[in-house]
Amino acid sequence: MKVCVGLSGGVDSSVAALLLKRAGYDVFALFMQNWHDTAGTLHGDCEWEEDRFVAEMVARKIGIPFYFVDLSREYRKRVVDYMFDEYSKGRTPNPDVLCNREIKFDAFMKCAMDLGADCVATGHYCRKDEIRNPDGQRICRIFAGTDPNKDQSYFLCQLTQKQLSRALFPIGGLEKPEVRRIAAEADLPSADKKDSQGICFVGKVDLPVFLQQTLKPVEGDVVEVYDAYFQDNAHYNFIKDTLQSIKRDDVPEPVGMVTSYISETRSLKVNDPEREKGTAGNPANEGGCSSDGIFDSKKIAALSDETLEEIARPVRYDIAFETETYRSGKRHVRKTRFRENPYGKVIGRHNGAQFYTIGQRKGLNIGGHKDSLFVISTDMQSNIIYVGEGHTHKGLSRSCLEIASEDIHWIREDIPMEPGEIRRYRVRIRYRQPLQDATLIMRSNGLFILFDEPQRGITPGQFAVWYDSDEMIGSGVIGV
């Protein structure tokens, strides 16, 4: 079998090529250049010239042919332009997911096939196997990588069965230290090369500067939202009451509205046994979930489509500020200020709501607070950023999200959910997040994901991905 390895110059793809060569495959390397523009990039990170030089040395060391292809036109059109468009709408896309779907396993794969390849191999940390359904049809399955700290299955969540049928992941069953050891023993030039960071094939960037190639800065207000707003907000209380009404009768505790974790690795709970379980899940339970959940499936099924849409919709902030004039200083100069408001306060200015994302902490440059400020909402029409203080701010957490019907993607095309069906899966809403137990509810108007525990920073435009134990089943773009 002739295999094309997408050789990037990094240690992972280098070891993938080496292992395939040792296994007796007819291997050749193909390096792709996807980006030329350096606007917004931080100098010295992921420069493609150096990557190509290292990749060529690796191919020579292994003893395989080396080819080069420029896919920058396709990358700009199918990844970067989409990325700019999403940010302009106040959504946060994931360019790495798009790069895999549109470039590595599409444009690049076609180029590899033109060069005679039967399959394309990459250095992703994930695993793949094949089964046959009752009709004898070939079904490709994709699993999380063996190394829980490097699992990259999330980035492949939009691949199709056709793409997976031509894909190989040689290092998916290895842990990163083992990959480094293999590279060092083989004296590969990439053995000590640092892992790449930032946007796929662009590198580490100053995102606002990068986006300003297309999106123009426009000043607007930064509004801090106080806890009192949620106490009096009808929509927030409707969500709270609805979640409480569908709770299982044997669960005594009230439904929580704030997440228990403050980052992907830190929890507010001390000695949290659920979090210590990691991401493997419990195969004895449906979907690998570690519990039956706190919600009653029969009560969930009785909810109307409209109610599900309401609890999946984030809280909107419509705080009105009135101004007043006052005299200041010895000269009694007339000035204008906002009157005090129990629901919030204008605390600063920003350069454009499109440059910020839900859950963001850095880049606000506003002091005077005991705890960190986080972006909890962006209003593109009014160009306002809403922020909240502290990890436990109510605006950071949501329990339910919606994926539009046209944005649902089933990796396992043989087991899609039908309208009215309810399943338990483990879900993550961003890379490296520990898998979360959740109930998936399919309706004619879309797919709803109801988490057992409120989730921090659910972000429109990102991908929600669901797993059965460690098998990736499907994914979808998070809606509003």
Side-chain angles (χ1 to χ4, degrees):
M1 180 187 292
K2 193 168 187 177
V3 180
C4 170
V5 177
L7 202 60
S8 66
V11 65
D12 298 328
S13 61
S14 300
V15 171
L18 176 65
L19 294 177
L20 288 169
K21 177 70 173 179
R22 288 177 175 176
Y25 290 96
D26 182 4
V27 183
F28 69 91
L30 182 59
F31 179 93
M32 61 180 131
Q33 179 187 358
N34 286 355
W35 195 247
H36 296 277
D37 196 349
T38 58
T41 58
L42 303 180
H43 181 69
D45 287 311
C46 298
E47 296 183 354
W48 74 269
E49 297 95 337
E50 178 186 348
D51 290 340
R52 177 180 176 175
F53 176 70
V54 174
E56 199 162 1
M57 289 196 299
V58 168
R60 189 178 301 117
K61 179 73 176 180
I62 297 174
I64 58 176
F66 179 87
Y67 300 94
F68 170 85
V69 60
D70 187 342
L71 296 175
S72 55
R73 181 179 299 178
E74 289 87 345
Y75 185 81
R76 174 172 282 280
K77 180 180 178 181
R78 298 165 69 174
V79 177
V80 177
D81 287 351
Y82 175 84
M83 179 178 163
F84 285 143
D85 183 61
E86 285 287 275
Y87 272 106
S88 73
K89 297 174 182 175
R91 294 158 59 90
T92 305
N94 191 308
D96 293 324
V97 172
L98 293 173
C99 179
N100 284 314
R101 184 185 74 188
E102 301 292 332
I103 305 299
K104 289 180 183 175
F105 294 94
D106 193 299
F108 178 83
M109 182 172 276
K110 289 176 181 176
C111 181
M113 299 301 136
D114 289 341
L115 291 172
D118 298 302
C119 289
V120 165
T122 66
H124 285 100
Y125 285 85
C126 62
R127 296 167 293 140
K128 171 197 159 185
D129 74 3
E130 295 179 7
I131 60 174
R132 298 282 177 176
N133 66 10
D135 297 328
Q137 181 184 7
R138 176 188 180 194
I139 303 294
C140 295
R141 301 190 300 177
I142 188 166
F143 299 83
T146 299
D147 189 337
N149 295 315
K150 292 297 295 181
D151 169 37
Q152 294 173 314
S153 58
Y154 178 88
F155 294 130
L156 305 176
C157 68
Q158 287 280 292
L159 297 193
T160 65
Q161 283 291 310
K162 182 179 179 181
Q163 290 171 317
L164 284 172
S165 69
R166 294 289 189 93
L168 295 175
F169 308 107
I171 66 169
L174 302 177
E175 295 190 357
K176 186 74 177 193
E178 177 71 1
V179 170
R180 290 279 187 194
R181 184 190 64 78
I182 293 172
E185 289 180 353
D187 197 26
L188 297 182
S190 58
D192 297 322
K193 196 169 185 293
K194 292 183 179 180
D195 293 342
S196 60
Q197 294 180 331
I199 299 173
C200 183
F201 291 109
V202 176
K204 199 170 183 180
V205 301
D206 182 329
L207 189 59
V209 174
F210 182 76
L211 293 176
Q212 284 173 27
Q213 296 176 73
T214 300
L215 309 179
K216 302 304 179 185
V218 181
E219 279 200 5
D221 288 331
V222 177
V223 175
E224 181 180 358
V225 180
Y226 298 152
D227 190 70
Y229 183 84
F230 300 93
Q231 296 174 15
D232 297 338
N233 183 265
H235 183 209
Y236 184 83
N237 285 293
F238 174 82
I239 295 172
K240 184 177 181 180
D241 292 342
T242 302
L243 295 178
Q244 186 68 24
S245 72
I246 61 174
K247 183 171 63 71
R248 283 184 14 229
D249 294 334
D250 59 340
V251 177
E253 300 83 7
V255 171
M257 295 292 284
V258 176
T259 183
S260 68
Y261 65 90
I262 60 177
S263 73
E264 312 306 15
T265 57
R266 296 173 59 202
S267 173
L268 291 170
K269 297 179 181 178
V270 179
N271 299 324
D272 184 356
E274 291 295 315
R275 191 155 299 279
E276 290 174 359
K277 290 180 181 178
T279 62
N282 185 351
N285 296 318
E286 181 185 2
C289 292
S290 57
S291 69
D292 294 328
I294 66 170
F295 299 111
D296 188 313
S297 59
K298 292 183 179 179
K299 294 179 180 180
I300 293 173
L303 295 176
S304 67
D305 293 350
E306 292 74 21
T307 297
L308 280 170
E309 288 179 347
E310 279 296 295
I311 65 173
R313 184 168 58 86
V315 171
R316 299 298 186 193
Y317 304 98
D318 53 358
I319 306 172
F321 295 98
E322 298 179 353
T323 58
E324 62 182 5
T325 58
Y326 67 102
R327 296 186 180 276
S328 175
K330 294 181 180 180
R331 296 179 179 274
H332 300 287
V333 177
R334 184 183 292 270
K335 294 184 178 181
T336 302
R337 64 187 175 192
F338 289 111
R339 289 178 178 172
E340 287 191 10
N341 190 310
Y343 295 139
K345 181 180 181 180
V346 178
I347 59 171
R349 301 282 285 173
H350 64 80
N351 289 324
Q354 68 270 28
F355 301 134
Y356 296 84
T357 188
I358 307 301
Q360 180 174 337
R361 177 174 61 87
K362 296 181 179 180
L364 291 170
N365 300 318
I366 296 174
H369 292 76
K370 178 181 177 181
D371 295 319
S372 299
L373 290 176
F374 297 88
V375 176
I376 60 173
S377 181
T378 58
D379 186 331
M380 297 301 294
Q381 289 188 337
S382 302
N383 194 31
I384 296 174
I385 292 175
Y386 294 95
V387 301
E389 182 179 5
H391 295 282
T392 59
H393 190 276
K394 290 182 175 67
L396 271 178
S397 298
R398 286 170 58 190
S399 293
C400 189
L401 63 84
E402 179 181 4
I403 298 172
S405 298
E406 63 271 18
D407 291 328
I408 302 169
H409 173 71
W410 291 99
I411 299 167
R412 288 292 303 274
E413 298 171 352
D414 57 318
I415 53 171
M417 292 176 65
E418 301 296 332
E421 191 174 355
I422 295 176
R423 292 183 193 169
R424 292 277 293 165
Y425 283 125
R426 309 197 84 204
V427 181
R428 61 167 48 105
I429 57 173
R430 54 186 163 267
Y431 175 54
R432 294 187 68 83
Q433 181 198 25
L435 287 168
Q436 307 291 306
D437 292 350
T439 301
L440 273 64
I441 311 141
M442 179 63 80
R443 296 292 175 91
S444 58
N445 56 333
L447 177 66
F448 297 88
I449 300 179
L450 178 61
F451 293 94
D452 290 5
E453 180 181 346
Q455 298 299 296
R456 170 195 174 93
I458 292 178
T459 308
Q462 288 282 292
F463 290 90
V465 184
W466 46 97
Y467 293 73
D468 183 347
S469 189
D470 58 350
E471 181 190 355
M472 192 161 57
I473 303 297
S475 67
V477 182
I478 299 172
V480 294

